[in-house]
Amino acid sequence: MFCSISGTTPEDPVISSKTGHLYERSLITKALQETGECPVTKTPMTLEDLLPVKSGTTVKPRTTAAASIPGLLSIFHNEWDALMLETHELRVDLHGTRQELSHALYQHDAACRVISRLMKERDEAREALANARAAGPSAAPGKRAASDGDEAVGDGKKQRSGVPPEAIDAMTAKSKELSKARKKREISPTLASGEDIGKMEIGTTAPCHATKAKGIRAIRVNPANADEVATGGADGSLALFDAAKGKRGALMTGHKKAVTDVAYAGDAILTSSADKTVKIWRGGAEAAAVAGVHEGEVVAVSAHPTNAYAVSIGGDGAWAFMDVGAAECLSVQRDGADGGTEYTCGGFHPDGLILGTGAADSSVKIWDVKTSKVAAKVEGHVGAVTSMSFSENGYYLATCAQDGVKLWDLRKLKNFKSVEAAGVRCVGFDRSGHYLAVGGADACVLNVKAEWEVVKRWEASKAPVNALEFAPDAKALYAGCSDHNLRVIA
């Protein structure tokens, strides 16, 4: 006799008093607990309807099929068929899952494209709003109107020339204050010696920008917090490096093209970019933007010592004087003698009353900011001037181009020292004026007080060196090369 459910000889047989079928006790018990009816006839049943059947227990029953080799082969064949069927079903399920995944990935890609387009439209709207805000005050009643001497640029719009009198007064007062303090200033007892710099090696290499960034273009140390170092990347982002922790802190994005320069103005950070704008950042976020002033790449930005004003220098041959707090351009000045000059770098003198600009025609001009006129012009480089730096003592100016570094005495407007080096990209004095950093195919430091001799030279693994900046007291040197890493030489 065989179980009506499993078709095998039961080990513990029972028979139903209602249906007369024979079952394995465990199988029918489970079926009645789940459904309350016979799984064969669908007749309602209970456990009380089951009657035990006595059977021998000496030898356990064995199915006829498993008692012979042909029976075993038949069982194996059935198992193989079942396995192949299950494999087929799994393959079908896998194919369906792959199709669903492909569809989901397509939807994700489409969503990313929509988000990218919306973000681009948002940025364009923000830029348009910033332009409107920047243009609003100049057109509003009661505001300072354009003078008869204003010049038309681009599509015919007027640009104001001449620095406002209130700004001149503030800058003059600050210049007197700085000149008086400079005479009394003493050399810091913690200033690194030439031997200390000679022992410095490249230590921390911290990723500050996206790996796709093809270089760090500018570096500035926060004058109010020596542990905060701002870097401008070729990917258009601004990063804040925490020197105490040895890693990047905040990362801010907003520019559409490479950041060309960075400057601190009190609690604000200024960035210039190849996207023709200057952005003002506060508290780790973009606070304002000054756009529509330059017709080409903004190659440099420099904060005035008052921290209330700044200048932006453009590749279009113009420099703009702006109010940092109001994020407003107050004056735009072009060289009338040769308006086609393409500026490549520039910045304020430490006293803040003169401005230096370097140009693609290898010339260097010194501007009187109060009159917005060229006070002096020096020449001697071969190729575009790529960088310039004023010494803190106010007497020296360092410039560089493809022929190397030139040092100028501003009192005599004379080139008194030249350092031949190919492919120099950047120069920068430390705050004491005792050392000059030079970057290009490698990085090196010159000792101003030791006849400008080279103190130490470091090989750059990702040359060229695009930017260099000293830490306070020349305790460290920050270098930005052609990758996304900031290198700390200490």
Side-chain angles (χ1 to χ4, degrees):
M1 293 184 293
F2 302 99
C3 173
S4 298
I5 298 176
S6 65
T8 61
T9 303
E11 294 184 7
D12 187 9
V14 292
I15 192 168
S16 172
S17 61
K18 288 188 176 181
T19 63
H21 283 280
L22 183 71
Y23 310 98
E24 175 69 51
R25 181 184 293 275
S26 60
L27 295 179
I28 190 61
T29 299
K30 186 175 181 180
L32 292 178
Q33 289 175 348
E34 293 180 354
T35 63
E37 61 183 19
C38 175
V40 179
T41 63
K42 305 301 180 183
T43 303
M45 288 174 53
T46 63
L47 295 176
E48 287 75 10
D49 296 328
L50 299 177
L51 301 176
V53 177
K54 294 182 179 181
S55 63
T57 58
T58 304
V59 179
K60 290 186 177 181
R62 183 168 54 177
T63 60
T64 305
S68 63
I69 292 178
L72 290 173
L73 292 176
S74 177
I75 292 174
F76 292 153
H77 187 271
N78 292 336
E79 289 293 334
W80 175 260
D81 290 344
L83 179 61
M84 290 298 100
L85 179 61
E86 183 180 3
T87 302
H88 173 72
E89 292 175 351
L90 289 174
R91 286 177 177 173
V92 172
D93 291 342
L94 177 60
H95 180 70
T97 303
R98 283 178 173 173
Q99 287 184 327
E100 292 176 1
L101 178 59
S102 176
H103 182 66
L105 290 175
Y106 176 79
Q107 288 182 323
H108 178 267
D109 181 67
C112 288
R113 292 176 182 272
V114 172
I115 292 172
S116 177
R117 178 176 57 81
L118 292 177
M119 291 179 67
K120 182 179 179 181
E121 293 177 355
R122 180 203 65 184
D123 293 341
E124 291 175 351
R126 284 181 175 177
E127 182 176 353
L129 178 61
N131 293 343
R133 286 178 176 174
S138 63
K143 294 289 183 179
R144 179 176 174 269
S147 64
D148 294 338
D150 293 348
E151 59 175 316
V153 298
D155 56 0
K157 58 185 178 182
K158 297 285 185 177
Q159 291 286 6
R160 290 169 289 180
S161 60
V163 177
E166 60 272 17
I168 294 177
D169 294 341
M171 291 190 297
T172 302
K174 187 65 175 180
S175 177
K176 292 179 179 179
E177 175 188 340
L178 293 173
S179 297
K180 185 177 180 180
R182 184 175 292 112
K183 294 178 181 179
K184 300 179 180 179
R185 189 182 64 183
E186 297 181 357
I187 299 175
S188 171
T190 59
L191 177 67
S193 65
E195 294 180 357
D196 295 334
I197 293 179
K199 296 176 182 177
M200 290 165 51
E201 299 293 343
I202 299 177
T204 303
T205 300
C208 288
H209 298 270
T211 53
K212 65 179 180 180
K214 297 181 179 178
I216 294 177
R217 301 281 294 274
I219 305 173
R220 287 292 179 272
V221 175
N222 186 348
N225 179 9
D227 289 334
E228 182 178 285
V229 183
T231 64
D235 60 347
S237 65
L238 170 67
L240 298 182
F241 174 76
D242 190 329
K245 297 180 180 178
K247 63 180 181 179
R248 187 194 74 194
L251 180 65
M252 293 160 276
T253 58
H255 284 294
K256 297 179 180 178
K257 294 183 179 180
V259 173
T260 56
D261 202 1
V262 179
Y264 277 92
D267 64 342
I269 303 176
L270 312 179
T271 56
S272 60
S273 172
D275 63 5
K276 308 178 184 179
T277 67
V278 173
K279 291 187 182 293
I280 302 173
W281 311 80
R282 286 189 174 91
E286 180 182 339
V290 180
V293 176
H294 293 281
E295 298 176 344
E297 173 182 1
V298 185
V299 298
V301 63
S302 179
H304 189 269
T306 60
N307 291 326
Y309 305 103
V311 293
S312 60
I313 298 168
D316 57 349
W319 60 267
F321 186 86
M322 64 184 67
D323 185 320
V324 175
E328 177 187 3
C329 176
L330 303 179
S331 168
V332 176
Q333 183 62 44
R334 297 176 186 273
D335 190 348
D338 48 358
T341 301
E342 179 183 345
Y343 294 139
T344 52
C345 60
F348 271 117
H349 182 273
D351 286 345
L353 290 183
I354 62 175
L355 173 74
T357 58
D361 62 0
S362 75
S363 66
V364 176
K365 294 178 182 177
I366 307 298
W367 296 76
D368 183 338
V369 179
K370 294 190 293 184
T371 61
S372 298
K373 294 183 178 180
V374 177
K377 179 179 178 180
V378 294
E379 296 178 314
H381 274 298
V382 175
V385 179
T386 55
S387 177
M388 64 167 45
S389 177
F390 288 99
S391 173
E392 183 61 27
N393 65 13
Y395 299 147
Y396 300 141
L397 169 65
T399 59
C400 66
Q402 67 182 32
D403 59 339
V405 180
K406 290 187 180 295
L407 297 155
W408 310 85
D409 188 330
L410 297 177
R411 296 165 293 185
K412 302 177 182 179
L413 296 177
K414 180 181 179 181
N415 170 218
F416 66 92
K417 179 73 175 180
S418 295
V419 180
E420 294 184 2
V424 180
R425 295 292 189 92
C426 59
V427 290
F429 284 99
D430 75 306
R431 295 183 188 177
S432 70
H434 281 64
Y435 302 105
L436 175 68
V438 180
D442 55 18
C444 68
V445 171
L446 308 181
N447 191 335
V448 177
K449 302 299 182 180
E451 301 297 328
W452 307 90
E453 68 176 7
V454 176
V455 179
K456 183 69 179 286
R457 190 179 299 275
W458 299 272
E459 296 296 328
S461 60
K462 294 290 184 179
V465 179
N466 297 315
L468 289 170
E469 177 82 350
F470 279 104
D473 292 334
K475 294 295 185 182
L477 181 64
Y478 300 102
C481 299
S482 59
D483 61 355
H484 64 293
N485 293 314
L486 175 67
R487 290 165 173 78
V488 182
I489 303 173

